[in-house]
Amino acid sequence: MLNNQVPVTVLTGFLGSGKTTLLNRILTENHGKRIAVIENEFGEIGVDNDLVIGAEEEIFEMNNGCICCTVRGDLIRILGNLMKRRDKFDYIMVETTGLADPGPVAQTFFMDTEMQEKLQLDSVTTLVDAKHIWQHIDDSDEAREQIAFADVILLNKIDLVTEGELKQLEARIRSMNAAAKIYRTKDAVVEMDKILNVGGFDLDRAMEIDPQFMEPEYPFEWAGVYNLSVGTHELVLQEGPDPTMKVALVPVNASTDEALEAAVEPVVMVFSDDEHQLSAGGTLQPSGRLIALNLTADELRFDVQIGRPGAYALFTEHHPDEFQAQLLGSGALVKPVVEREFKPDHEHDDEVTSVGITTPGDLDPDRLNDWISNLLRTKGIDIFRMKGILSIKGQPERFVFQGVHMLFDGRPDRPWGGEQRYNSLIFIGRNLDRAELTEGFEACLA
């Protein structure tokens, strides 16, 4: 490894496996390293950032999607900004969501020369919840990928299962990944030299797990380069599998494969930006912005306004054939001069959603206790994960809690001091009823 390369650990594991607990341990151990943290959360509000301690570390949060697909542009951007402050840290931890496939995240560090020169993927470290992983290991692709890609596996929460259950789980994990080092842990307690600077990531093994590992996944499935004249063209679509489709139209240097290739990575970044809605009849311009076409009207026609003649690349979230999409100029079909299909993002379990609640005010402890108890008793199977910060009436400290299925753990945290008191919590799971959860929680306010 070159001396100036920064080691990176990708920290992953299914929901509730103990990633944040391990991260806090890493940030407070006396290992002499200055660590920058990049966090990715699943859900509409970020809670983990408040649960991570260690004010001296650089902590960046991404919570607009899953790091392994839609937020990859954000990850590249943050890493690029981090490297401008290279003298501020010695190590980078990337904590993924519990629903991330770590393969594409690891892939980020091999994608371009600049990344390879400045960063060194040290390992993929996966935490496994020894008690609850059995509920997900057979029906969650992400849970299996997290184990398969791991260089280091922490078999966590061993105090919640028997020795026989541990051996059964270790055998199952060995059958999925015989190369990883496995450590049994309670509360994610592990010696730091087992997880930092282990030099564990093996590109050859990653290629064995996924022969297409070095072929990046993209947030778009198709791109075509058109030679367009000045004036208004028309993009015509038919009803397809989705009510919206994200597109980006950008000028390129020429109608060649090379020009299209040069546009790909910049457009990955565009697809990580905020999207702008465009209804049928609206005008699409080569602005380099991310546009979400609304495809719910009876007639799906969009103007394409071109101010200068030249070559333009259209990137589409889905393959145009799914919507019978055509570009017309003066009523005639305009075909792309060159086109390319891309390896699409992997699919996530769409049934898994999140509900976030943020509200000011203090909570009545008795009502809160009754509500939480009933919730875990009746909905615990479907609640994969719950966590948050609460303001309990009469208590000077913040109350932080975490839950996995029917297990719940809470404790007083640091004093509120002069900070405005609030409550912020998130549920992740299946069959979550937002209105019911919100109503139930708000009924606990004092």
Side-chain angles (χ1 to χ4, degrees), residues 395-398 413-421:
Q395 298 299 318
E397 299 95 4
R398 307 189 322 168
D413 188 44
R414 60 176 169 80
W416 285 104
E419 182 183 357
Q420 184 175 1
R421 296 168 71 111

Side-chain angles (χ1 to χ4, degrees), residues 171-318:
R172 176 66 186 273
I173 289 173
R174 284 285 178 218
S175 71
M176 301 166 67
N177 182 347
K181 294 180 179 176
I182 300 177
Y183 302 105
R184 295 182 177 187
T185 61
K186 175 187 174 186
D187 297 328
V189 176
V190 64
E191 295 172 30
M192 289 297 107
D193 61 2
K194 299 288 195 302
I195 54 174
L196 296 180
N197 278 330
V198 297
F201 188 77
D202 185 337
L203 182 58
D204 291 337
R205 196 175 68 80
M207 296 287 285
E208 289 176 9
I209 298 169
D210 179 6
Q212 294 181 305
F213 177 77
M214 290 301 285
E215 181 183 341
E217 294 185 2
Y218 294 95
F220 35 78
E221 291 188 2
W222 182 89
V225 178
Y226 298 85
N227 281 329
L228 299 179
S229 57
V230 173
T232 302
H233 304 259
E234 198 171 31
L235 181 64
V236 181
L237 304 95
Q238 305 297 321
E239 186 177 354
D242 275 340
T244 63
M245 179 164 69
K246 297 173 187 171
V247 302
L249 182 65
V250 297
V252 292
N253 292 330
S255 301
T256 62
D257 290 324
E258 292 75 14
L260 177 58
E261 181 63 28
V264 168
E265 284 306 318
V267 174
V268 168
M269 304 300 282
V270 170
F271 268 71
S272 71
D273 289 339
D274 293 336
E275 61 192 43
H276 302 268
Q277 301 290 326
L278 186 65
S279 298
T283 300
L284 180 65
Q285 296 178 322
S287 60
R289 298 200 305 174
L290 182 62
I291 305 297
L293 302 179
N294 185 334
L295 305 177
T296 58
D298 293 335
E299 191 169 5
L300 301 176
R301 292 174 176 270
F302 299 84
D303 288 342
V304 178
Q305 190 70 44
I306 300 299
R308 297 176 58 185
Y312 294 88
L314 177 66
F315 289 78
T316 61
E317 179 184 10
H318 303 295

Side-chain angles (χ1 to χ4, degrees), residues 70-106:
T70 56
V71 191
R72 185 160 66 90
D74 273 354
L75 176 60
I76 293 171
R77 185 180 294 120
I78 288 175
L79 288 168
N81 289 334
L82 262 179
M83 296 314 293
K84 295 175 184 173
R85 291 181 283 171
R86 171 67 184 85
D87 59 327
K88 302 288 187 183
F89 57 90
D90 312 304
Y91 207 102
I92 296 175
M93 301 289 303
V94 180
E95 181 188 2
T96 75
T97 76
L99 297 172
D101 174 355
V105 182

